[in-house]
Amino acid sequence: MSGPDYDKKEFWEKKYSKEDVHFFDWYHGWEKLEGVLKESAPLDGKVLMLGCGNSKLGEQMCLNGYKCVVNMDFSGLVIEKMKQRCKDIEGLSFLAMDARKMDFGDAEFQTVIDKGTLDAVICGEDHLVNVNLICKEVSRVLKPGGKFISISFGTPENRLDYLMQAKFHWDIDIKRMMASNDPVEYYHYFYTMTKCLHPTPDCKHKEYDWNQAYTDIETIK
């Protein structure tokens, strides 16, 4: 039996066609993420939100001091709904776009945030190709020294093979946070990729040994 087609545009268009402009945040919302984001994402830096869906995170970031948050999703339907819902919020914009082939210029963003988008793509049949294309595009649009924050339920041994590739020109730091409102104890992982200041073909990421005890990974309260 196959699972939901989370990687398919048609799945999300159908889902959003049945919904009014209600909000839903995968994993965590602003209340839990404020400290993590402010630590890594400067308020005056341009932020890109991958696969925003109907999340309130971008809106709440702008209402709490962020100057420019660009939300993108390949569902044109949800983008139009979110444009109407958030039309009066300064610094907040919405664009229909495919993360595998973005229209932005090189080194345009200080911070890129993914909250469950890569997890959804990994559900698909062509996940190796598609995750590679997304990470390649994120690296391209990210400024040197900028950060790509990927929030995932995937553990390091299930995510680092996708993320730790020298061609992306970034180093990786890992933290985790207890999943909220769940009786079963498990974590969401925060993979923070920092792009090399001077990317070259020989730029190497630092090695991360996920075989270390999971207690070595900092837990965010």
Side-chain angles (χ1 to χ4, degrees):
M1 179 184 295
S2 61
D5 293 325
Y6 289 140
D7 64 317
K8 299 290 194 303
K9 180 179 179 179
E10 294 77 14
F11 172 88
W12 295 104
E13 294 277 51
K14 182 177 180 180
K15 173 180 170 61
Y16 294 131
S17 70
K18 297 178 180 178
E19 297 179 355
D20 200 350
V21 190
H22 298 302
F23 293 108
F24 180 79
D25 269 295
W26 292 90
Y27 306 155
H28 298 285
W30 170 254
E31 294 76 13
K32 282 281 190 177
L33 299 179
E34 179 179 4
V36 179
L37 294 179
K38 286 188 173 179
E39 178 182 333
S40 299
L43 295 176
D44 58 353
K46 192 174 183 180
V47 178
L48 173 63
M49 194 82 63
L50 292 182
C52 62
N54 54 359
S55 168
K56 288 189 71 174
L57 184 60
E59 173 186 353
Q60 291 169 317
M61 290 177 70
C62 285
L63 293 176
N64 284 276
Y66 282 87
K67 304 302 182 185
C68 180
V69 179
V70 179
N71 297 267
M72 57 163 285
D73 199 288
F74 65 0
S75 169
L77 182 58
V78 78
I79 288 296
E80 289 305 314
K81 288 186 175 185
M82 293 299 286
K83 279 182 179 179
Q84 291 301 312
R85 169 62 177 82
C86 302
K87 61 184 178 182
D88 297 325
I89 299 176
E90 186 175 353
L92 190 66
S93 61
F94 293 87
L95 296 171
M97 196 180 298
D98 191 325
R100 294 169 295 185
K101 189 175 181 181
M102 293 188 263
D103 297 334
F104 305 115
D106 295 350
E108 189 168 335
F109 294 91
Q110 186 64 38
T111 308
V112 179
I113 299 172
D114 153 45
K115 191 156 67 76
T117 297
L118 288 184
D119 286 351
V121 173
I122 288 170
C123 294
E125 295 178 356
D126 296 324
H127 57 94
L128 292 174
V129 172
N130 288 327
V131 172
N132 180 73
L133 289 172
I134 292 171
C135 288
K136 183 179 178 181
E137 278 290 87
V138 169
S139 178
R140 181 183 66 79
V141 305
L142 197 62
K143 293 178 181 292
K147 297 183 185 296
F148 174 31
I149 305 167
S150 180
I151 303 168
S152 170
F153 69 82
T155 56
E157 65 265 37
N158 291 319
R159 289 296 180 268
L160 290 185
D161 283 346
Y162 294 102
L163 300 172
M164 286 185 64
Q165 299 188 39
K167 63 185 176 182
F168 300 142
H169 306 304
W170 55 42
D171 287 336
I172 301 180
D173 179 68
I174 305 173
K175 296 179 182 178
R176 66 183 183 180
M177 180 184 288
M178 184 70 72
S180 58
N181 301 320
D182 199 298
V184 179
E185 182 174 303
Y186 71 97
Y187 294 94
H188 292 137
Y189 290 85
F190 293 72
Y191 300 94
T192 301
M193 281 66 72
T194 303
K195 188 174 178 180
C196 299
L197 286 173
H198 303 288
T200 69
D202 298 323
C203 179
K204 303 293 184 183
H205 60 69
K206 66 182 179 182
E207 294 297 325
Y208 192 95
D209 182 9
W210 60 262
N211 287 305
Q212 296 179 45
Y214 271 42
T215 53
D216 290 347
I217 298 176
E218 180 184 347
T219 300
I220 305 167
K221 301 298 183 181

